[in-house]
């Protein structure tokens, strides 16, 4: 039987990151630092194919959305979505979570499970941002 979302263990870790995210979203410097750390982790993964490549593209979209939100350019992101997405990024950049990143493949799948779950939960918000981005950044 295929699992639909995160495991109980993943959700326990995620809840810890969610509490931290609620503090970070109210602190621009901490939020920017989180974005930098996520971008650094992505840079190390940028050339990979398959699941990792799709994950990189998804996180890049989220980082653009958050960057435009904290810069004041994009105003359509609900606060609760911001908290949840920052919690997902904290989970992504944390070397030790439900399955540590040093475990080949499994560490990435663990991170991807949380990020895909969040993407499904906030798909409308991501689609709204994509539409905004197309209108504001098309050539």
């Amino acid at each position: 039987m295929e699992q639909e979302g995160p495991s109980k263990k993943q959700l326990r870790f995620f809840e810890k990151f969610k509490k931290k995210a609620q503090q970070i979203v109210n602190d621009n410097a901490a939020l920017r630092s989180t974005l930098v750390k996520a971008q650094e982790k992505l840079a190390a993964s940028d050339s990979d194919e398959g699941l990792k490549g799709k994950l990189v593209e998804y996180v890049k979209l989220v980082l653009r959305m958050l960057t435009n939100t904290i810069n004041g350019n994009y105003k359509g992101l609900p606060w609760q979505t911001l908290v949840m997405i920052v919690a997902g990024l904290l989970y992504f950049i944390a070397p030790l979570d439900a399955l540590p990143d040093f475990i080949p493949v499994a560490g990435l799948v663990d991170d991807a499970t949380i990020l895909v779950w969040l993407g499904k939960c906030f798909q409308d918000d991501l689609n709204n941002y994509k539409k905004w981005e197309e209108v504001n950044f098309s050539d």
Side-chain angles (χ1 to χ4, degrees), residues 54-111:
K54 289 178 183 176
L55 182 62
V56 166
E57 289 307 310
Y58 168 76
V59 175
K60 284 181 179 180
L61 169 67
V62 168
L63 292 176
R64 288 194 314 271
M65 182 174 67
L66 291 179
T67 299
N68 279 305
T69 297
I70 64 174
N71 288 341
N73 298 328
Y74 181 66
K75 300 187 186 320
L77 188 63
W79 186 84
Q80 186 61 29
T81 302
L82 178 62
V83 168
M84 295 294 283
I85 288 177
V86 169
L89 287 177
L90 291 171
Y91 193 98
F92 174 68
I93 63 178
L96 298 174
D97 45 41
L99 286 172
D101 291 347
F102 63 80
I103 299 173
V105 182
L108 174 65
V109 171
D110 172 55
D111 291 347

Side-chain angles (χ1 to χ4, degrees), residues 108-127:
L108 174 65
V109 171
D110 172 55
D111 291 347
T113 300
I114 291 293
L115 294 174
V116 167
W117 172 65
L118 287 172
K120 287 179 182 177
C121 291
F122 300 105
Q123 188 171 10
D124 289 345
D125 293 320
L126 290 170
N127 288 337

